[in-house]
Amino acid sequence: QQQVKQSPQSLIVQKGGISIINCAYENTAFDYFPWYQQFPGKGPALLIAIRPDVSEKKEGRFTISFNKSAKQFSLHIMDSQPGDSATYFCAASYRGGADGLTFGKGTHLIIQP
Amino acid sequence: DVKVTQSSRYLVKRTGEKVFLECVQDMDHENMFWYRQDPGLGLRLIYFSYDVKMKEKGDIPEGYSVSREKKERFSLILESASTNQTSMYLCASRPQGDGGYTFGSGTRLTVV
């Protein structure tokens, strides 16, 4: 049973464009929704996170949009750059992640120069 | 620079061997986690620990055990390695209360 569904599996975006990755969750008890960025040979690194009491959070070029009624959240990368090329994972958890994160399967993002 | 250090970057072990994967964090974090990462499957939680001597099963604990004798160290043990345990293993830590995870760079284990 996959509790967090992520799409697309892979994405190619031109430099300067907007990259959009979507996730849907099933468990309404989830209260913490982070996004992680992973470069080859490295562990995932926290990019940005949101809690369900807000509908949007922005940090620099990265924005999370959250739709509680639809049980969906998405990552938007504005002005995408070649250095953003990486694998992105959405995740969800209870208690802020103390019991572990449930991850989506990942999106391989390529930004073409 | 705070970090999570995994002792081995690559390991090759034989089927049936007992394998120890070590993880050390220098951030005084209470929570520690072991995940495995497989292509197309994302990251799956094996075990986690709230504090010293404590351990909880994650989503896929079968074939694994853990040990946490000191706050900074969390070990993953494969009691009898099998080929289906060939994977990338990632350790992470998190402070009590709130905060994101800090991951190590991973140990790529191959069981032959």
Side-chain angles (χ1 to χ4, degrees):
Chain A
Q1 179 184 358
Q2 184 184 357
Q3 295 194 56
V4 179
K5 294 184 178 180
Q6 183 172 346
S7 63
Q9 282 188 320
S10 60
L11 180 62
I12 299 174
V13 175
Q14 295 298 312
K15 179 182 176 182
I18 302 173
S19 303
I20 302 174
I21 305 170
N22 300 299
C23 283
Y25 63 98
E26 298 167 3
N27 193 332
T28 55
F30 286 149
D31 64 3
Y32 176 67
F33 303 89
W35 285 89
Y36 280 79
Q37 179 188 56
Q38 185 179 30
F39 294 106
K42 301 290 187 182
L46 178 64
L47 195 57
I48 187 172
I50 198 168
R51 293 192 181 273
D53 52 345
V54 298
S55 60
E56 186 175 281
K57 183 174 181 180
K58 184 176 181 180
E59 290 185 1
R61 296 185 294 109
F62 300 91
T63 300
I64 298 180
S65 296
F66 185 81
N67 186 329
K68 188 174 182 179
S69 60
K71 293 188 288 184
Q72 295 176 345
F73 59 111
S74 60
L75 176 69
H76 295 232
I77 306 174
M78 312 299 288
D79 187 26
S80 299
Q81 299 297 312
D84 296 330
S85 297
T87 300
Y88 292 81
F89 293 95
C90 64
S93 73
Y94 334 96
R95 304 203 307 127
D99 299 334
L101 295 170
T102 298
F103 284 87
K105 293 185 177 182
T107 296
H108 183 50
L109 174 65
I110 297 173
I111 307 301
Q112 290 188 332
Chain B
D1 190 21
V2 294
K3 62 173 63 174
V4 174
T5 302
Q6 296 183 231
S7 56
S8 302
R9 191 77 180 94
Y10 298 95
L11 274 179
V12 180
K13 297 292 182 180
R14 295 193 178 278
T15 302
E17 277 193 79
K18 189 169 187 176
V19 181
F20 293 85
L21 302 184
E22 304 291 343
C23 175
V24 177
Q25 51 99 359
D26 64 0
M27 296 165 283
D28 201 35
H29 286 172
E30 287 80 9
N31 304 152
M32 296 189 75
F33 307 84
W34 275 106
Y35 284 85
R36 63 177 284 176
Q37 181 175 15
D38 300 287
L41 296 179
L43 285 79
R44 293 178 291 166
L45 181 63
I46 305 171
Y47 265 96
F48 62 102
S49 170
Y50 293 118
D51 209 335
V52 177
K53 303 285 189 182
M54 300 178 70
K55 60 183 179 182
E56 299 287 340
K57 292 181 180 179
D59 298 320
I60 52 164
E62 296 79 17
Y64 303 94
S65 62
V66 291
S67 173
R68 193 161 180 206
E69 297 297 318
K70 294 184 178 181
K71 189 176 185 179
E72 67 271 18
R73 186 179 297 270
F74 193 36
S75 303
L76 180 69
I77 304 158
L78 286 66
E79 297 291 342
S80 178
S82 64
T83 55
N84 62 13
Q85 293 179 310
T86 291
S87 185
M88 171 67 84
Y89 289 88
L90 289 162
C91 175
S93 72
R94 172 190 176 276
Q96 193 81 302
D98 205 353
Y101 288 26
T102 301
F103 279 89
S105 294
T107 295
R108 184 166 295 281
L109 172 68
T110 302
V111 182
V112 297

